[in-house]
């Protein structure tokens, strides 16, 4: 793995879970990790409830935009974290994959989105610890 590992977070709409995960990793890792997020069917905008939930913990994701998952982005990533995109996520030999089973925040009240946000933080902290040990 290169000096600066790259992590790709993928969910269907790239509007909630993957954006929150990317926000947490940026917040916790700074510039030590290259962070990407994408969706198999990106939405028009980020889920405003996800934006509000992240703002509550001091993380601003308002400038992010949902992006379409493309072959090159996935191929160039060291770790690919999927969150409910199922068969639409490409599989590349030699990549580390994790599938995080998380509630989709779309259409959920802020109380549910807070729980998802906090669960994502725990998983991102575990991922960061693994990356820093070089077991990515």
């Amino acid at each position: 793995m290169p000096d600066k590992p790259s992590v790709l977070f993928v969910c269907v709409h790239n509007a909630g879970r993957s954006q929150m995960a990317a926000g947490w990793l940026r917040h916790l890792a700074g510039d030590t990790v290259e962070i990407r997020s994408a969706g198999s069917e990106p939405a028009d905008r980020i889920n405003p409830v996800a934006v509000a939930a992240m703002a509550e913990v001091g993380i601003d994701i308002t400038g992010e935009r949902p992006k379409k998952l493309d072959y090159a982005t996935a191929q160039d990533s060291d770790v690919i974290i999927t969150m409910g995109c199922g068969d639409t996520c490409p599989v590349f030999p030699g990549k580390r994959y994790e599938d995080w089973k998380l509630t989709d925040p779309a259409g959920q009240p802020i109380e549910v989105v807070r729980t998802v946000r906090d669960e994502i933080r725990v998983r991102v902290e575990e991922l960061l610890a693994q990356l820093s040990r070089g077991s990515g």
Side-chain angles (χ1 to χ4, degrees):
M1 187 173 288
D3 291 340
K4 186 174 182 175
S6 59
V7 176
L8 171 62
F9 295 104
V10 183
C11 66
V12 176
H13 299 297
N14 191 220
R17 294 167 288 188
S18 57
Q19 293 286 356
M20 289 192 289
W24 273 121
L25 189 55
R26 267 191 299 281
H27 178 73
L28 296 169
D31 64 357
T32 64
V33 177
E34 186 176 336
I35 302 157
R36 304 166 175 160
S37 70
S40 53
E41 298 174 25
D44 295 332
R45 63 187 180 117
I46 294 184
N47 179 337
V49 182
V51 170
M54 293 301 285
E56 290 178 351
V57 293
I59 300 173
D60 182 5
I61 60 171
T62 56
E64 300 301 319
R65 297 286 172 260
K67 294 170 278 311
K68 177 81 173 156
L69 175 63
D70 64 42
Y71 182 91
T73 301
Q75 187 176 30
D76 294 342
S77 299
D78 299 308
V79 180
I80 300 173
I81 308 291
T82 58
M83 304 172 189
C85 60
D87 294 339
T88 61
C89 291
V91 176
F92 296 92
K95 302 292 178 191
R96 173 180 162 191
Y97 284 88
E98 288 186 25
D99 185 45
W100 292 357
K101 305 282 189 219
L102 297 162
T103 300
D104 186 348
Q108 298 290 340
I110 188 76
E111 296 79 17
V112 172
V113 178
R114 285 180 184 130
T115 302
V116 174
R117 174 201 66 203
D118 295 344
E119 186 175 346
I120 289 172
R121 179 186 180 139
V122 170
R123 290 175 187 239
V124 166
E125 288 172 336
E126 291 169 0
L127 173 65
L128 187 55
Q130 293 166 1
L131 291 173
S132 65
R133 289 193 306 267
S135 61

